Amino acid sequence: MPDFSSVRRRIFAPQARDGALRMAIWAAAGILFACAAWLMLDVAVRGAAGLDWRFLVDEPARAGRAGGIGPILVSTGLILAVAIAVAAPLGLAAAIFLAEFLPSGSRFAAWTSISLDVLAGIPSIVFGLFGNAFFSVWLGMGFSILSGGLTLACMILPLLIRTAEHGLRMVPDEWRHGAAALGMSRFSSVWRIVLPAAGPAVTAGLLLGLGRATAETAALVFTSGYVDRMPSSLLDSGRALSLHIYDLAMNVAGGDRNAYASALVLLLFLIVVNGLAMSFSDYLLRKRIAA
Amino acid sequence: MTSLRISSLFPRTPDGYIAFGLGAAACLASGILLLILIFVFGEAWPALRTIGVVRFLSDGAWYPTDGAFGLVPMLAASFALAAGALTIAAPVGVAVAIFRLHYAPGWMKAPYRGLVLLLAGTPSVVLGLWGLMVLVPLIARIEPPGASLIAGILVLALMIVPTVAIASEAALESVPRSCWSAANALGLGREAALLNVVLPAAREGIAGGILLAGARALGETMVVLMITGNIVQMPDGLFTPVRALTSNIALEMAYATGDHRASLFVSGLALTLLVFLLSFAAGTGRRRRHA
Amino acid sequence: MTLGPKDEAAGEGAAGYTVGPMLAGPECCTPEPVIGVRGLAVSYAGVPALKHVDLDIYKGCVTALIGPSGCGKSTFLSSLNRLTDLVAGCRVAGRIEVDGVDIHGPDVDVQALRRKVGMIFQKPNPFPLSIHRNLDMPLREHGVRSRDERESRIRAALSDVGLWEEVADRLDEPALSLSGGQQQRLCIARALVLQPSILLMDEPCSALDPLSAETVEKMIVGLRGRYTVVVVTHNLAQARRIANFAAFFWVRDRAGALIEFDTCQRLFEAPAHDLTAAYVTGRSG
Ligand SMILES: Nc1ncnc2c1ncn2[C@@H]1O[C@H](COP(=O)(O)OP(=O)(O)OP(=O)(O)O)[C@@H](O)[C@H]1O
Ligand SMILES: [Mg+2]
């Protein structure tokens, strides 16, 4: 057995470099793990201390220092409902048009694609500015759940369209051709065959959008407002959970305990939503590998 | 690029009418970007006209109610925050991606991916809360007041590491296996193959991910709002409290009127432009790679 | 169960299936054109795929399209039911008449055309629905309201393709759980359930194992007379076994062209053209 090690040492970088790189990679992974674990444990431990069933249903008292988050959960739910109710049908319709009706390579497709990419990159605070100027002031909705929900709808729209469009394009053409050969109209082939087949992908996108909207704070500061009472209509101002956390942490001395409890609620909800989204897209992946 | 022939896309059949409806939805969705630009620009216009772009850059200070509109300290703070966060997050994110793909023992891969995704889905207000309650007091022990540039950099870095890691992982996975086998056939070890062959091959995808992460850091509001101190001054040291453009909008929108309000929209416009440029650069890399 | 005179072949199919009432009828391959193709030329994104095709398809007969790969057989087939419409950049010129009507005419209802001209693809493509729903859904889409009628047509179509006994007790299972051969027969049943008069088949057996291929082949023989069948096949022996007429395509000047059309027997035994002779005897292609 000839000895190559001397050759190797001359031609390739020294072993020391490899060792250092290996250590750096393990160290980076370890540090990220440590920080993430620190963050999660901190929220879990301090949040659990203030969290019970009463907290979820009670009205906030003394600017949120005491009491619970009942009305805030209701407002959050309403804001999300508005956002999804507007963005989901609009996004799905746009995705169907882009994936099924528009010839790819057309100028409109190119323009839409650029505009959606740009829209997806706009900072959320700018969505907040826009929402304030357009929905709250120009359309006269004021600080309201409606205004906040519509702002969030604009924000998650690119995500919904992209995921749905991607899901639709993954559906094999054979089924479209099969449906056309049976004399089915284009729309019924989409409605009866393609869309159900893309269902998991569309659902995953919807859940991701829901998660994104739930996590959002900056876009809501001056659209849905701060009022922490139980909303009586969609035109009432309503405080979102994320905004409540911000307010307690920054503006209310002694609000830590409830800020943490609210943060835990938010985090748990997001884990469920994002986990569901993941399981839908994993399901898709498995199916594609199996096929 | 083929131009669109409206008549062929929307024939006078039920399918054609449905296509028309779906097309309208797609137009609406891609028109939102235009709407945002129009409204943000429209609100910013009075300030651009009466104050002028130059003064936003040449005024020494930010006293908008007294006619001083200098954005430079806040621009600098935003850049310093994003650049600092990228300096940490880019190497760590790439290392984490490499770790997950090539170093982690089998059992660790899936949980580690879960962790990265969990962090990616964590709302920025929760990161801000953790920074405010945990990190800022720690930094304050080194040098008061604690709420400072470095606090913002660290938490922003934690926020964008998943962005870099997820994009890098996708880029690394798309490097053909033959690259690995060719490198191995040359007698290169794992580290040498990574450094000399695989990372260069995945270069553009990784760079795109880093640019996107930079755009996210630049546009982030809640984290910087909660933990950087919010004092308008040039970032002349890591422990200096600073105010970013985004936090400025969030802090002052609530009571701003007249030129003050318009100049907040100007800063929103500036932010949007910067983020455009970054995501456009990221997109150019991506498009070149696919071409 | 009545067996038509020409159904022995189907009756003794490999799977030994029963035959439904649709097949029960005399063979009536008559030299009366139902499809007339004149000067057909098809191009994809400006690149010609097929040029100058003049061809008549006769009623109740099986016409086999043969020729080497890429000579435009599939293209020809899908221009007959205007499935070419779905391909972006595809241009069709020339005149195609089905039952005397120009299918590119201004008032033509494409959906009605495709209902009359059924198509079966090379790769079985059942929808990701239940077996029953695969057949039921097209019927509903075409406005067959009566549930009883749908059920009886489904049953008849499944019997015709010899699937009824195999799947009668699991109609609600996903169609994709069937074997490849069963999936292809389901697709044929899905076409039959709409009661088309013409069936276009693009290499219907080539993705199947030999046993399933034989079953499907026998089934096609069974369709003869009742339906006008146009079938693309690379299997020359199969073409001889099942077809009444045969058309030979070849790539000429970079585009597919029809070289020869004749009765199956003459095309194989006394071809008029040298290319045909070379191809059918296996000297080229
Ligand atoms: N969708 C398409 N886009 C572009 N070109 C196409 C398309 N479909 C077919 N072609 C081209 O048209 C020509 C004829 O193709 P066609 O599929 O009709 O051949 P075929 O005789 O069916 O071949 P095979 O026996 O392999 O199925 C080929 O050169 C092919 O490359
Ligand atoms: Mg073919």
Side-chain angles (χ1 to χ4, degrees):
Chain A
M1 186 94 186
D3 179 22
F4 287 115
S5 57
S6 61
V7 182
R8 189 186 217 157
R9 206 162 304 135
R10 239 183 307 124
I11 298 179
F12 303 113
Q15 310 263 301
R17 186 206 57 187
D18 290 359
L21 186 64
R22 204 173 314 149
M23 265 174 54
I25 287 173
W26 274 93
I31 288 172
L32 183 72
F33 175 79
C35 289
W38 188 2
L39 166 69
M40 300 301 160
L41 284 178
D42 181 54
V43 174
V45 171
R46 287 215 237 174
L51 188 59
D52 53 22
W53 282 114
R54 299 297 306 276
F55 181 73
L56 293 180
V57 293
D58 277 357
E59 300 254 341
R62 295 198 294 126
R65 286 181 198 92
I69 51 171
I72 286 152
L73 287 183
V74 172
S75 300
T76 311
L78 289 176
I79 293 172
L80 293 177
V82 170
I84 293 293
V86 172
L90 189 60
L92 195 58
I96 292 177
F97 183 71
L98 294 176
E100 302 290 328
F101 285 85
L102 197 63
S104 61
S106 70
R107 205 164 292 164
F108 183 77
W111 148 246
T112 313
S113 152
I114 291 174
S115 118
L116 289 179
D117 280 352
V118 172
L119 194 62
I122 289 188
S124 55
I125 188 86
V126 178
F127 275 101
L129 284 177
F130 162 72
N132 180 272
F134 183 62
F135 295 119
S136 295
V137 176
W138 202 70
L139 291 181
M141 295 176 190
F143 285 85
S144 63
I145 287 173
L146 195 59
S147 169
L150 290 174
T151 307
L152 290 188
C154 296
M155 201 181 83
I156 60 173
L157 199 57
L159 180 68
L160 298 193
I161 296 179
R162 280 290 182 236
T163 46
E165 190 190 347
H166 186 71
L168 290 169
R169 288 191 195 279
M170 298 301 288
V171 174
D173 263 346
E174 296 153 23
W175 291 335
R176 293 186 183 89
H177 290 177
L182 288 170
M184 285 166 66
S185 73
R186 192 120 181 198
F187 182 72
S188 54
S189 97
V190 170
W191 191 245
R192 303 238 176 260
I193 311 290
V194 182
L195 204 54
V202 174
T203 315
L206 211 59
L207 287 168
L208 286 177
L210 180 65
R212 173 81 63 83
T214 316
E216 185 49 47
T217 316
L220 294 177
V221 178
F222 19 86
T223 51
S224 64
Y226 270 96
V227 176
D228 61 1
R229 278 190 312 275
M230 183 65 82
S232 58
S233 85
L234 289 183
L235 286 172
D236 265 6
S237 168
R239 186 191 283 196
L241 189 55
S242 53
L243 202 57
H244 187 57
I245 298 171
Y246 164 72
D247 197 54
L248 286 183
M250 291 289 286
N251 304 335
V252 179
D256 317 7
R257 187 184 148 93
N258 277 355
Y260 266 106
S262 311
L264 184 58
V265 172
L266 183 61
L267 208 54
L268 287 177
F269 179 73
L270 281 173
I271 288 175
V272 170
V273 169
N274 290 337
L276 276 177
M278 286 248 308
S279 66
F280 272 110
S281 52
D282 280 357
Y283 163 82
L284 269 186
L285 200 67
R286 264 200 312 277
K287 215 171 62 179
R288 209 170 304 137
I289 290 166
Chain B
M1 197 170 286
T2 53
S3 69
L4 204 65
R5 282 178 312 136
I6 299 292
S7 59
S8 71
L9 203 54
F10 306 122
R12 291 182 178 281
T13 60
D15 252 5
Y17 295 125
I18 289 171
F20 189 81
L22 296 173
C27 284
L28 186 60
S30 59
I32 286 177
L33 175 65
L34 218 58
L35 204 63
I36 290 179
L37 291 180
I38 289 173
F39 266 84
V40 175
F41 189 79
E43 295 276 336
W45 178 241
L48 287 173
R49 203 189 47 206
T50 57
I51 303 170
V53 180
V54 179
R55 275 192 53 204
F56 282 108
L57 298 175
S58 65
D59 277 8
W62 172 259
Y63 294 112
T65 43
D66 295 334
F69 293 99
L71 288 179
V72 171
M74 292 185 281
L75 264 174
S78 280
F79 273 119
L81 282 163
L86 266 191
T87 315
I88 299 173
V92 172
V94 176
V96 162
I98 295 176
F99 171 78
R100 256 244 328 135
L101 290 177
H102 302 297
Y103 286 79
W107 61 268
M108 207 190 268
K109 286 190 171 115
Y112 205 90
R113 172 164 175 256
L115 184 84
V116 171
L117 291 176
L118 179 64
L119 200 53
T122 302
S124 53
V125 71
V126 173
L127 285 165
L129 177 70
W130 177 73
L132 184 68
M133 301 295 175
V134 176
L135 205 59
V136 169
L138 283 182
I139 294 173
R141 270 197 240 162
I142 304 170
E143 189 171 329
S148 56
L149 183 61
I150 183 69
I153 287 178
L154 289 175
V155 178
L156 276 181
L158 187 59
M159 184 183 93
I160 60 176
V161 161
T163 311
V164 179
I166 291 168
S168 307
E169 222 174 87
L172 287 170
E173 268 182 329
S174 68
V175 172
R177 273 187 200 290
S178 60
C179 275
W180 273 104
S181 25
N184 290 338
L186 287 172
L188 298 186
R190 182 167 54 173
E191 286 77 22
L194 268 173
L195 275 183
N196 298 317
V197 183
V198 179
L199 277 178
R203 188 179 57 227
E204 299 204 7
I206 294 176
I210 291 176
L211 284 174
L212 278 185
R216 271 196 70 195
L218 202 58
E220 172 56 30
T221 309
M222 298 322 290
V223 166
V224 294
L225 176 62
M226 292 170 83
I227 61 177
T228 60
N230 293 329
I231 298 174
V232 185
Q233 57 183 338
M234 287 303 279
D236 51 9
L238 282 179
F239 295 94
T240 325
V242 293
R243 183 189 288 193
L245 273 185
T246 49
S247 350
N248 186 48
I249 300 175
L251 285 168
E252 301 191 350
M253 250 312 267
Y255 61 86
T257 51
D259 273 355
H260 183 190
R261 179 181 154 95
S263 56
L264 291 180
F265 276 87
V266 171
S267 55
L269 206 58
L271 210 57
T272 310
L273 280 179
L274 289 173
V275 170
F276 271 10
L277 289 180
L278 279 179
S279 29
F280 185 74
T284 315
R286 197 168 50 222
R287 273 189 290 280
R288 235 198 356 255
R289 202 150 32 91
H290 286 310
Chain C
M1 190 68 45
T2 50
L3 279 183
K6 255 298 164 194
D7 288 330
E8 317 90 67
E12 47 188 61
Y17 53 80
T18 55
V19 173
M22 273 203 231
L23 289 185
E27 175 163 9
C28 57
C29 174
T30 55
E32 172 192 331
V34 281
I35 304 181
V37 178
R38 295 290 171 269
L40 177 71
V42 185
S43 63
Y44 292 104
V47 182
L50 209 54
K51 269 183 184 166
H52 310 304
V53 178
D54 296 305
L55 183 60
D56 282 329
I57 305 285
Y58 296 116
K59 186 169 186 165
C61 307
V62 175
T63 304
L65 309 182
I66 58 172
S69 201
C71 64
K73 307 179 296 293
S74 300
T75 302
F76 177 76
L77 214 56
S78 49
S79 60
L80 296 184
N81 66 348
R82 286 186 51 182
L83 216 59
T84 42
D85 291 6
L86 297 192
V87 182
C90 180
R91 290 270 170 284
V92 179
R95 190 178 171 84
I96 300 175
E97 283 181 5
V98 173
D99 282 340
V101 179
D102 180 3
I103 65 168
H104 294 107
D107 310 321
V108 168
D109 178 352
V110 185
Q111 278 155 246
L113 169 74
R114 289 180 186 153
R115 183 178 172 175
K116 184 153 76 179
V117 185
M119 187 170 206
I120 286 101
F121 298 80
Q122 174 172 5
K123 197 169 152 234
N125 59 350
F127 298 132
L129 308 169
S130 73
I131 296 171
H132 183 263
R133 194 106 174 90
N134 257 282
L135 302 168
D136 194 44
M137 195 260 300
L139 284 174
R140 281 171 191 258
E141 285 296 313
H142 284 289
V144 182
R145 291 265 155 65
S146 146
R147 192 187 153 83
D148 290 344
E149 184 181 351
R150 290 202 308 268
E151 292 305 321
S152 73
R153 276 164 77 165
I154 289 172
R155 184 175 175 148
L158 283 174
S159 305
D160 281 337
V161 299
L163 262 184
W164 178 252
E165 296 191 338
E166 289 167 49
V167 302
D169 51 350
R170 50 179 184 133
L171 285 175
D172 291 323
E173 286 179 24
L176 292 171
S177 68
L178 294 172
S179 76
Q182 288 174 323
Q183 286 189 12
Q184 188 64 304
R185 282 186 281 152
L186 179 67
C187 291
I188 299 177
R190 194 176 63 187
L192 293 183
V193 88
L194 293 177
Q195 302 178 338
S197 57
I198 299 165
L199 280 177
L200 310 175
M201 303 188 172
D202 196 349
E203 304 183 42
C205 302
S206 68
L208 307 183
D209 68 281
L211 212 65
S212 308
E214 196 186 335
T215 316
V216 171
E217 184 183 317
K218 293 225 164 111
M219 221 194 64
I220 297 173
V221 175
L223 298 174
R224 197 156 62 185
R226 177 82 193 190
Y227 300 94
T228 306
V229 177
V230 186
V231 54
V232 173
T233 177
H234 278 288
N235 182 338
L236 297 182
Q238 182 183 60
R240 286 183 84 155
R241 282 195 299 272
I242 63 176
N244 307 100
F245 291 90
F248 174 60
F249 287 75
W250 186 259
V251 183
R252 202 190 240 170
D253 303 330
R254 299 240 188 108
L258 174 65
I259 303 298
E260 188 170 349
F261 173 72
D262 212 329
T263 64
C264 195
Q265 195 178 11
R266 267 207 301 262
L267 192 113
F268 277 100
E269 283 163 14
H273 205 287
D274 291 344
L275 280 171
T276 320
Y279 187 76
V280 299
T281 55
R283 277 181 282 128
S284 71

